[in-house]
Amino acid sequence: MTPCVNILLCDTFPGRLPDFIPNYESLFFDLFASIGERPDYKIYQTWQGELPQSVNADELYLIPGSLDSAYDDKPWIVALVRWIEQAYSRGAKMMGVCFGHQVIARALGGEVRPYEGGMGVGVRASHVLDGQMLGYFPRQEMRLLYSHHDQVMVLPQGAELCATSEFCKNESFKMGNQVITFQGHPEFTVAYSRHLLLNCSDDLEECVKSAALQTLDQMTPQGPEAARFALDLLFGK
């Protein structure tokens, strides 16, 4: 495992975190701890323009979720896109989650747009296509928690599709052993997703909310397996 995880925070989600979650980055601390990894962490307030000034190929650069859209041209998003382009050219190891998945795709030549089919929430299963990923998901499906409306519609040139679903064609992609991304949230817990659905989803149709809540009771998300695959892909098993 990498000795350091650099988390490029793209949101702090004020008013959306329950009392049992001290801050958004703590979800990643708990995720990596759940698979026996306790690296050092560096936190960057990227949504306020803070970015790493240099990159180290032995470290992980993690770009997580945001309420903003990856195709927006807010100054901090434009700066992040440029940073990703440069970091990739310098060999940085990157992991993208939800917004991070989308903004990495945008930066490296893909396309991100709102999805006409609406919001993706609750637990969703995607079909695993990547041979290495199958070693972590032997039933050929990856179940993750979701909360998104935008999607990667076109992958960057040279990207390999790792997982797909009927709702979201490009669920996960990799670029060699340097980039791995997930539309889903490996860091989310069922309790946090339930909190979001019950307290922060007034714009959702009741039928969508009800169906999403049912998935929380019926399906077990596999965030730790996704995290283990990501680290092994990027840094070697």
Side-chain angles (χ1 to χ4, degrees):
M1 167 56 185
T2 174
C4 182
V5 174
N6 301 271
I7 301 180
L8 281 59
L9 280 181
C10 300
D11 210 321
T12 56
F13 302 100
R16 296 175 66 89
L17 295 176
D19 292 341
F20 57 85
I21 298 177
N23 49 56
Y24 179 45
E25 57 265 37
S26 71
L27 291 171
F28 290 100
F29 303 164
D30 293 344
L31 172 65
F32 289 127
S34 76
I35 58 172
E37 302 286 354
R38 290 176 172 80
D40 294 330
Y41 291 94
K42 294 178 184 176
I43 310 299
Y44 295 86
Q45 303 298 330
T46 295
W47 61 283
Q48 292 185 325
E50 185 181 15
L51 288 162
Q53 295 303 300
S54 61
V55 298
N56 185 330
D58 294 326
E59 298 183 359
L60 175 63
Y61 297 86
L62 172 57
I63 305 174
S66 176
L67 293 178
D68 283 322
S69 294
Y71 46 77
D72 283 347
D73 286 328
K74 293 184 177 181
W76 75 265
I77 297 177
V78 172
L80 175 58
V81 166
R82 290 173 180 164
W83 182 90
I84 293 168
E85 293 172 341
Q86 296 172 359
Y88 180 74
S89 70
R90 296 171 184 168
K93 305 276 191 176
M94 289 183 278
M95 176 178 171
V97 169
C98 198
F99 171 88
H101 158 80
Q102 297 164 5
V103 78
I104 289 174
R106 172 189 173 179
L108 299 182
E111 184 178 341
V112 182
R113 296 196 304 270
Y115 179 54
E116 294 180 357
M119 286 285 295
V121 286
V123 185
R124 184 166 75 238
S126 57
H127 180 64
V128 173
L129 302 173
D130 180 72
Q132 185 175 349
M133 185 184 267
L134 284 173
Y136 302 79
F137 302 95
R139 294 187 178 181
Q140 294 188 306
E141 73 170 25
M142 175 177 64
R143 299 185 302 274
L144 293 178
L145 290 155
Y146 290 82
S147 181
H148 71 109
H149 183 221
D150 299 333
Q151 294 191 19
V152 174
M153 299 299 183
V154 179
L155 291 177
Q157 185 174 2
E160 298 176 68
L161 186 61
C162 294
T164 187
S165 73
E166 184 176 344
F167 185 86
C168 178
K169 178 182 178 182
N170 298 309
E171 291 274 11
S172 171
F173 71 86
K174 69 179 184 180
M175 300 183 74
N177 66 345
Q178 193 179 340
V179 172
I180 180 65
T181 73
F182 303 95
Q183 178 57 69
H185 285 273
E187 81 282 11
F188 273 22
T189 64
V190 169
Y192 179 43
S193 289
R194 193 182 306 277
H195 167 80
L196 290 177
L197 287 166
L198 293 176
N199 299 285
C200 307
S201 301
D202 291 341
D203 55 339
L204 276 183
E205 297 180 9
E206 282 302 318
C207 60
V208 174
K209 187 184 301 186
S210 176
L213 287 167
Q214 287 183 19
T215 67
L216 302 184
D217 297 324
Q218 297 170 350
M219 303 172 69
T220 301
Q222 297 172 293
E225 289 89 336
R228 182 77 270 164
F229 164 67
L231 295 183
D232 289 349
L233 171 73
L234 297 176
F235 296 99
K237 189 171 183 178

